């Protein structure tokens, strides 16, 4: 019987907004029985916010991860990646833009909702999310959500990355604020259109457990409905923790696997070196 590898490709450290060093995250991952650990520092190179890797720190980040690769060789495979933001007019997650850093992979993510009035973070706390919707969209929640998914589709069409990060993070605060009804037809239409874009982009959608770890939502990304749509559209998936602390490296992996099975998946994907492979759930 083929061994089921324990993997995570969405890992943050003190190089961005994580709370522990890369060395400590790797040490914990090995103790938890991981076979493959991928680091994915927040990036919108050559720009940065307070929670992205500073441009001056990219070489050091790569150096540290490469040293960890060497240290753990033969015990745990370590990969160096970036979670690259899509910000229209500024950055697109493309491997060609990171050539000098030789990443093993990129995660493409939309964190910022942008229009002519400015931007705000879709992954922010409830108060700031509501402020952003009021400022940019005059409180029109449907317009804000549709803009978020339109940006996802733009990223999928323009980007060049392997992993699609937390595809419906916009619903993070919907869990407690009930800003919109996820069962309405307009919302489902956005999910279907976005899944179709993903199919043409040949990406792997991650099932992300980060909201559970941080106590912001008692569910994985994507939602059960979105996962079913992704399955029916033929989008492969992998399970990632989006860990910012070592204790969360394998948070709720059992729940993520159960969600994948419920949606109809029988396998998940993983990256072994530079090759994308599959394994049974």
């Amino acid at each position: 019987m083929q061994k089921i590898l324990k993997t995570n490709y969405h890992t943050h450290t003190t190089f961005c907004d994580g709370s522990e060093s890369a060395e400590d995250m790797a040490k914990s991952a090995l103790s938890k029985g991981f076979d493959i650990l991928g680091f994915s520092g927040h990036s919108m190179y050559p720009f940065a916010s307070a929670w992205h890797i500073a441009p001056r720190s990219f070489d050091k980040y790569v150096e540290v991860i490469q040293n960890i690769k060497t240290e753990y060789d033969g015990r745990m495979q370590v990969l160096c990646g970036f979670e690259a933001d899509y910000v229209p007019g500024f950055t697109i997650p493309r491997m060609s833009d990171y050539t000098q850093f030789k990443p093993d992979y990129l995660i493409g993510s939309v964190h910022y909702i942008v229009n002519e009035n400015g931007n705000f973070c879709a992954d922010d706390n409830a108060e700031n999310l509501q402020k952003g919707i009021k400022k940019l969209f005059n409180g029109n929640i449907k317009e804000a959500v549709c803009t978020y998914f339109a940006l996802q589709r733009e990223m999928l069409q323009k980007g060049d990355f392997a992993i699609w990060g937390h595809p419906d993070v916009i619903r993070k605060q919907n869990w407690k604020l009930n800003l919109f009804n996820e069962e309405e037809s307009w919302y489902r239409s956005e999910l279907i259109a976005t899944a179709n874009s993903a199919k043409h982009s040949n990406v792997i959608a991650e099932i992300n457990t980060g909201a559970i770890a941080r106590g912001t939502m008692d569910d994985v990304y994507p939602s059960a409905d979105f996962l079913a749509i992704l399955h029916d559209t033929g989008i492969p998936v992998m399970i990632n923790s989006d860990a910012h602390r070592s204790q969360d490296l394998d948070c709720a992996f059992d729940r993520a696997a159960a969600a994948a099975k419920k949606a109809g998946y029988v396998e998940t994907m993983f990256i072994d070196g530079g090759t994308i492979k599959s394994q049974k759930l």
Side-chain angles (χ1 to χ4, degrees):
M1 178 180 291
Q2 180 184 5
K3 177 188 176 183
I4 303 300
L5 299 181
K6 188 173 184 178
T7 68
N8 179 56
Y9 300 91
H10 199 152
T11 311
H12 296 292
T13 70
T14 49
F15 276 102
C16 53
D17 62 346
S19 61
E20 298 178 45
S21 69
E23 292 88 349
D24 285 344
M25 295 295 271
K27 182 179 179 181
S28 179
L30 184 66
S31 72
K32 289 176 177 289
F34 275 89
D35 297 286
I36 304 174
L37 177 68
F39 288 94
S40 56
H42 283 295
S43 171
M44 50 182 185
Y45 189 81
F47 307 102
S49 75
W51 48 275
H52 288 78
I53 302 175
R56 64 181 178 278
S57 299
F58 270 76
D59 288 332
K60 184 63 176 178
Y61 169 81
V62 172
E63 178 186 348
V64 167
I65 306 306
Q66 292 297 334
N67 288 340
I68 294 172
K69 280 188 181 187
T70 301
E71 179 182 352
Y72 285 83
D73 185 38
R75 295 184 291 164
M76 178 177 70
Q77 185 179 160
V78 175
L79 300 180
C80 181
F82 299 96
E83 183 180 11
D85 261 289
Y86 176 64
V87 184
F90 286 91
T91 61
I92 302 173
R94 290 185 297 214
M95 287 291 284
S96 59
D97 292 338
Y98 290 83
T99 302
Q100 69 192 94
F101 305 114
K102 300 178 181 178
D104 295 304
Y105 65 94
L106 292 182
I107 299 174
S109 294
V110 172
H111 289 97
Y112 292 101
I113 298 179
V114 182
N115 71 7
E116 65 277 6
N117 297 318
N119 68 80
F120 66 91
C121 187
D123 193 19
D124 210 335
N125 60 47
E127 180 181 1
N128 288 338
L129 183 68
Q130 289 177 307
K131 285 181 178 178
I133 293 172
K134 182 177 180 181
K135 179 181 178 181
L136 269 64
F137 299 96
N138 294 315
N140 189 324
I141 294 166
K142 178 180 176 180
E143 185 179 353
V145 173
C146 289
T147 299
Y148 167 81
F149 282 110
L151 291 170
Q152 290 277 13
R153 293 190 290 273
E154 285 182 18
M155 177 183 72
L156 289 162
Q157 291 162 7
K158 297 178 180 180
D160 171 24
F161 53 92
I163 303 169
W164 180 19
H166 41 61
D168 56 355
V169 76
I170 188 63
R171 57 187 276 270
K172 171 182 172 180
Q173 298 299 341
N174 204 43
W175 186 263
K176 56 184 174 183
L177 294 178
N178 294 314
L179 295 171
F180 56 94
N181 185 348
E182 296 179 28
E183 296 181 0
E184 289 190 8
S185 60
W186 68 266
Y187 186 76
R188 183 174 176 81
S189 293
E190 291 293 330
L191 300 184
I192 293 171
T194 306
N196 285 330
S197 288
K199 183 175 183 179
H200 292 109
S201 301
N202 296 315
V203 295
I204 305 165
E206 69 170 9
I207 303 176
N208 183 309
T209 65
I212 298 172
R214 293 187 283 280
T216 54
M217 182 176 67
D218 189 27
D219 198 9
V220 299
Y221 308 112
S223 67
D225 287 344
F226 200 5
L227 262 179
I229 291 169
L230 292 172
H231 171 267
D232 293 347
T233 310
I235 311 301
V237 295
M238 66 166 46
I239 295 171
N240 284 329
S241 63
D242 196 354
H244 290 65
R245 305 176 300 176
S246 59
Q247 68 193 65
D248 299 329
L249 278 163
D250 55 0
C251 175
F253 273 19
D254 54 342
R255 290 184 61 181
K261 290 177 181 177
K262 184 178 180 181
Y265 286 98
V266 296
E267 64 181 17
T268 57
M269 313 304 290
F270 66 98
I271 300 173
D272 183 2
T275 303
I276 295 174
K277 300 179 180 179
S278 65
Q279 60 182 353
K280 291 183 178 181
L281 268 168

